[in-house]
């Protein structure tokens, strides 16, 4: 059975238990994607119609229960000769395993478990279902502490003759009630008796009755008194012992009258005012049923002589012969009474037999009939029908192609299983998720016999998949379809959504990270010394530069300045500048080049008299600094500041030729500049001037 899928839905994964009539497997419900327990009828019973009928009937009765302490029944089915019940799967152990590990258990734990079992029994009894096999093996302990009662009603499917079958009833005879052991009818009080034994075992780590054979144990249930629990475990409170003794009374009238009554006792037995209550006394124990009875003495005179009437019968009483003639009357009356009694018994047996005996009927042959006509014919013969539909390419839809049982005489109300054709089995739609749309059009459709015109692109959306990849489909995978009429709709990926990368240079680390995260990109921060930016400012980004196309979810490295490299040198250059005409306003402009970049604008000022301006340069071993001074658009000087110049004041003046003024775009004259790279757009710290600003 391992690996088999029952009913096209329940995959058998592992065997987890078994009993006298069924095996239990752990399964997986493929449709609802959940774990289940699957109980399968043993192979030796699959041809026993009476057994199968009871198996289904009792499973349906158990399925009618809905209670948190009862294992739920999900489904009942048949596949060929396999009859199965699908139940709730409980992760944990059986109470039998817990007792072996922990008994004798703490009183509080045992009462908590018994209360949940009793609550489940109360629910079942109100639904007219008697368990008849309450024992630790049928109590499941979930990992969350929830107690679940299983196998409701299934014990009814086993005949009383099975008490001799090894392994089928031996495990249960220790929990039999006296009426169960006698073979008489059992009811709700029988379940209460069995629960009392379970509670006894939890608290004492032993069974109340044991023997060498099931028969000997059953006789002890009938004849022997149970050893008081407190003699085995003195830690048991008197209130709990009273409850166990009351639930295990051999006389049903002295037990709890219902599971609800016992549950109320369980809820209060550990209250402080009840723990040391008086020991319970039963009326049948107080009255000695077997005491000696004193018979009255014969009457006579004071000397003990016989009475006169007695003497008269011996001394020739004239009425004696007549009395002897009437001696036949009493036996005749008794004989007549016995004959009448036997006639009455014979009549009663006939009446009872007529009530019990189930009439028989004939199962008709309904193969090749329409399913509705077949069901009506079966109902007309006082039978029940169950329909199982299956694909069959040789039989038209809704036609019965097999039945179970075949035509024969059976009891009325029996069930006939009808196997009805669904017609030719339709193919199932393959799963195209992740495949290329072009591959499906050019290859897959040809294999399936579907025309390309039956396929449409329902939607194209952005996704992480390559452009043209199928994301969703209608019909869904494994859904049946007709190749001639099916209309297929595919959702196609457009690939990743792309956008232009912003320029992060000059931003702080926080500003750059926030800008990247808002675009659904993943920032990776790296720090390094640089001449390009001040400490804490972004000086580069990789692999996506400014205006490069980038997709959401991609990573980008952000390079943050640690400051200037250790070999960098700062030089402050001071220079006095006068207006072109003394006393008149002139525009002063200063442009410098150093390790940070070329032709960087320092500032533009208006002056009317001579002022001194300080320009701070950052020099590197590979690049000296230069400063250009302009007055009203004409360059008046070009100073070079070498890296190895140790002077702290103004650098040594560099003789420069007088530049030839040229017209600037703004209309002012300026010398023709040497071609330089485009000025950096990154803001740099402005040097300060000591003159007027």
């Amino acid at each position: 059975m391992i690996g088999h899928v029952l009913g096209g839905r329940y995959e058998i994964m592992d065997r987890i238990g078994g009993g006298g009539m069924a095996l239990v497997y752990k399964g997986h419900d493929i449709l609802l994607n959940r774990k289940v327990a699957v109980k399968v009828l043993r192979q030796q019973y699959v041809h026993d119609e009476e057994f199968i009928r009871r198996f289904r009937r009792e499973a349906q009765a158990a399925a009618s229960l809905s209670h948190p302490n009862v294992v739920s029944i999900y489904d009942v089915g048949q596949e060929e000769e396999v009859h199965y019940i699908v139940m709730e799967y409980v992760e944990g152990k059986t109470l039998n395993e817990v007792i072996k590990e922990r008994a004798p258990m703490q009183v509080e734990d045992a009462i908590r478990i018994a209360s949940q079992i009793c609550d489940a029994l109360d629910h079942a009894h109100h639904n007219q279902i008697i368990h008849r096999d309450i024992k630790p093996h049928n109590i499941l302990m979930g990992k969350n502490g929830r107690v679940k009662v299983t196998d409701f009603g299934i014990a009814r499917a086993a005949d009383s003759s099975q008490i001799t079958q090894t392994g089928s009833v031996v495990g249960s005879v220790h929990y039999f009630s006296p009426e169960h052991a006698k073979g008489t009818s059992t009811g709700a009080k029988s379940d209460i008796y069995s629960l009392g034994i379970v509670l006894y075992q939890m608290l004492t780590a032993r069974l109340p009755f044991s023997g060498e054979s099931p028969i000997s144990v059953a006789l002890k249930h009938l004849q022997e008194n149970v050893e008081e629990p407190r003699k085995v475990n003195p830690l048991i409170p008197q209130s709990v012992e009273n409850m166990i003794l009351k639930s295990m009374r051999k006389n049903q009238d002295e037990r709890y009258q219902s599971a609800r009554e016992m549950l109320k006792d369980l809820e209060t037995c550990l209250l402080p005012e009840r723990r040391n209550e008086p020991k319970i006394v039963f009326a049948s124990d107080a009255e000695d049923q077997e005491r000696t009875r004193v018979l009255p003495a014969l009457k006579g005179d004071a000397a003990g002589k016989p009475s006169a009437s007695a003497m008269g019968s011996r001394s020739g009483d004239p009425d004696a012969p007549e009395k002897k003639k009437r001696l036949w009357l009493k036996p005749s009356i008794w004989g007549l009474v016995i004959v009448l009694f036997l006639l009455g018994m014979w009549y009663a047996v006939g009446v009872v037999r007529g009530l019990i005996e189930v009439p028989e009927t004939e199962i008709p042959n309904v193969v090749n009939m329409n399913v509705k006509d077949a069901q009506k014919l079966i109902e007309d013969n006082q039978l029940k029908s169950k329909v199982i539909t299956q694909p069959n390419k040789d039989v038209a839809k809704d036609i019965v192609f097999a039945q179970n049982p075949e035509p024969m005489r059976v009891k009325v109300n029996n069930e006939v299983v009808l196997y009805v054709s669904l017609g030719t089995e339709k193919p199932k739609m393959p799963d195209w998720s992740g495949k290329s749309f072009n591959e499906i059009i050019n290859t897959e459709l040809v294999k399936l016999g579907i025309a390309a015109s039956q396929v449409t692109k329902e939607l194209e959306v952005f996704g992480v998949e390559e452009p043209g990849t199928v994301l969703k489909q209608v019909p869904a995978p494994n859904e049946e379809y007709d190749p001639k009429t099916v209309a297929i709709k595919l959702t196609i990926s457009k690939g990743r959504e792309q956008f232009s990368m912003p320029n992060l240079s000059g931003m702080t680390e926080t500003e750059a990270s926030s800008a990247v995260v808002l675009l659904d990109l993943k920032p990776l921060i790296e720090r390094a010394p640089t001449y390009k930016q001040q400490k804490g400012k972004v000086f580069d980004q990789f692999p996506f530069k400014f205006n490069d196309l980038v997709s959401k979810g991609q990573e980008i490295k952000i390079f943050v300045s640690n400051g200037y490299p250790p070999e960098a040198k700062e030089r402050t250059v001071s220079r006095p500048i006068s207006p072109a005409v003394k006393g008149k306003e002139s525009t002063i402009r200063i442009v410098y080049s150093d390790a940070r970049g070329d032709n960087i604008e320092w500032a533009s000022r208006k002056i009317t008299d001579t002022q001194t301006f300080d320009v701070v340069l950052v020099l590197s071993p590979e690049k000296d600094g230069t400063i250009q001074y302009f007055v009203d658009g004409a360059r008046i000087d070009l100073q070079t500041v070498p890296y190895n110049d140790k002077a702290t004041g103004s650098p040594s003046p560099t003789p420069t030729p007088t530049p030839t003024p040229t017209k600037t775009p703004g209309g002012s004259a300026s010398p023709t500049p040497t071609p330089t790279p485009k000025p950096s757009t990154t803001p740099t710290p402005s040097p300060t001037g000591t003159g007027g600003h």
Side-chain angles (χ1 to χ4, degrees), residues 277-347:
E277 66 186 14
K279 185 175 180 179
I280 192 168
V281 177
F282 298 95
S284 59
D285 293 338
E287 182 180 349
D288 183 8
Q289 299 291 345
E290 301 297 331
R291 65 178 182 269
T292 305
R293 296 182 180 179
V294 180
L295 297 176
L298 294 174
K299 294 182 179 180
D301 57 14
K305 295 181 181 181
S307 62
S309 61
M311 291 295 291
S313 64
R314 295 182 181 180
S315 59
D317 187 352
D319 295 333
E322 186 177 351
K323 291 182 179 179
K324 290 181 180 179
K325 291 180 181 180
R326 291 199 297 267
L327 292 177
W328 61 269
L329 184 60
K330 189 174 182 180
S332 299
I333 294 174
W334 276 110
L336 179 61
V337 170
I338 291 173
V339 170
L340 292 174
F341 176 76
L342 293 176
L343 289 173
M345 288 293 293
W346 176 81
Y347 176 78

Side-chain angles (χ1 to χ4, degrees), residues 150-227:
T150 186
D151 277 352
F152 260 90
I154 300 303
R156 288 180 178 179
D159 296 330
S160 59
S161 60
Q162 284 185 320
I163 197 170
T164 62
Q165 293 183 2
T166 303
S168 61
V169 184
V170 170
S172 300
V173 72
H174 295 92
Y175 305 90
F176 276 179
S177 63
E179 57 272 18
H180 199 165
K182 286 190 292 186
T184 59
S185 61
T186 55
K189 294 179 183 178
S190 299
D191 285 346
I192 293 173
Y193 184 93
S194 300
L195 177 55
I197 296 177
V198 173
L199 185 55
Y200 186 104
Q201 186 180 3
M202 285 193 289
L203 293 173
T204 64
R206 68 169 67 172
L207 289 163
F209 301 113
S210 59
E212 297 179 355
S213 67
I215 298 296
S216 64
V217 176
L219 289 175
K220 289 183 179 181
H221 281 288
L222 291 169
Q223 300 171 356
E224 296 185 7
N225 290 325
V226 66
E227 184 178 6

Side-chain angles (χ1 to χ4, degrees), residues 657-678:
T658 303
T660 303
T662 60
K663 280 291 183 176
T664 64
S668 60
S670 65
T672 303
T674 303
T676 59
K678 184 179 179 180

